[in-house]
Amino acid sequence: MILETGRGPIATARAQHHEFANCLHTMAGLLHMEMYDRASEFIAELTRIRTRETQYADRVREPVLSALLVGKSAVAAERGVVLRIGAGTDLPRRALVPHDLMMVLGNLIDNALDSVASHRVPDSRVDVSIWAEGDTAVLRVADNGPGVPPDARPFVFLKGWSTKQPHGGRGMGLAQVRWITDRYDGTATVDERVGGGAVFTVRLPRALAPEATAVR
């Protein structure tokens, strides 16, 4: 399980390294071709992207989660998937155990990315929403992939279950989501996304710090 867990940060770091290198190479190429106006436009576009990423920290006050979203955005872009943050996202309080929320959200996002990327879904996208209901953290990840058939939904959080064949070595991520959720006496569900795809929702009671410690 340690090896499985470690893949996420490694993949994120690799994607960010590739993104940075590609940006440098693109800038060098534009300047070499003396396309200065296009180089300025490219810099402006990068600035808009970075501005959008800093908004994660404004809406998700748990630094571990906002950093995870920035990293996963780079992973998604490398795989040709758009990762979007839902308009209702608002987590004004820190997590009591940030690692638990990181593992749940990271596994849900990875599962969604695998679903849309492996099926070559046109206009692939993953939507992430995070909010607080009292001291309960709610994490929701939706994708426009093939979805999960109704008869398979009771089994998706079981160890070894996977939409991929063969199952050997797979199915650990969602099982880990269930394991963490059970420790909080929370809930983990999967439903059909409007327009097609899957929506995973996890509720973790007592996962957030007392309201008096909310970050302003």
Side-chain angles (χ1 to χ4, degrees):
M1 186 167 66
I2 294 176
L3 290 177
E4 184 74 20
T5 301
R7 291 181 183 176
I10 294 173
T12 298
R14 184 181 297 117
Q16 290 176 318
H17 172 76
H18 288 172
E19 180 187 30
F20 181 69
N22 288 334
C23 288
L24 287 181
H25 296 160
T26 300
M27 278 298 303
L30 290 172
L31 294 175
H32 179 75
M33 292 185 292
E34 299 183 355
M35 300 176 66
Y36 304 121
D37 289 342
R38 185 65 189 91
S40 297
E41 293 173 1
F42 183 68
I43 293 174
E45 176 62 22
L46 289 179
T47 301
R48 283 193 293 272
I49 292 173
R50 296 302 175 231
T51 300
R52 186 179 68 239
E53 290 178 348
T54 58
Q55 293 175 352
Y56 296 163
D58 294 334
R59 298 163 65 184
V60 180
R61 300 299 179 89
E62 173 50 62
V64 169
L65 293 187
S66 57
L68 175 71
L69 290 172
V70 171
K72 291 300 184 184
S73 293
V75 174
E78 189 174 63
R79 302 184 68 177
V81 180
V82 175
L83 190 150
R84 305 186 302 188
I85 305 302
T89 291
D90 182 19
L91 193 73
R93 296 155 66 179
R94 299 283 182 92
L96 291 175
V97 185
H99 180 267
D100 287 347
L101 272 66
M102 178 194 72
M103 293 305 300
V104 168
L105 186 61
N107 281 325
L108 291 179
I109 293 175
D110 287 344
N111 181 73
L113 290 176
D114 285 344
S115 177
V116 294
S118 62
H119 289 87
R120 303 181 183 277
V121 176
D123 300 320
S124 299
R125 63 182 181 275
V126 171
D127 297 313
V128 179
S129 297
I130 310 169
W131 67 92
E133 294 180 356
D135 64 358
T136 296
V138 185
L139 314 172
R140 177 169 291 165
V141 177
D143 65 75
N144 64 337
V148 180
D151 59 347
R153 292 173 192 169
F155 310 103
V156 296
F157 294 102
L158 297 179
K159 181 178 178 180
W161 187 93
S162 176
T163 56
K164 301 176 182 178
Q165 296 290 342
H167 291 341
R170 297 190 185 277
M172 291 296 295
L174 292 181
Q176 191 172 51
V177 168
R178 168 64 74 185
W179 180 70
I180 294 173
T181 302
D182 287 347
R183 287 201 289 111
Y184 283 82
D185 294 324
T187 60
T189 60
V190 56
D191 297 291
E192 182 177 0
R193 171 185 169 274
V194 177
V199 180
F200 286 81
T201 304
V202 172
R203 284 181 165 83
L204 301 177
R206 301 176 302 281
L208 301 179
E211 192 167 2
T213 63
V215 180
R216 302 294 182 183

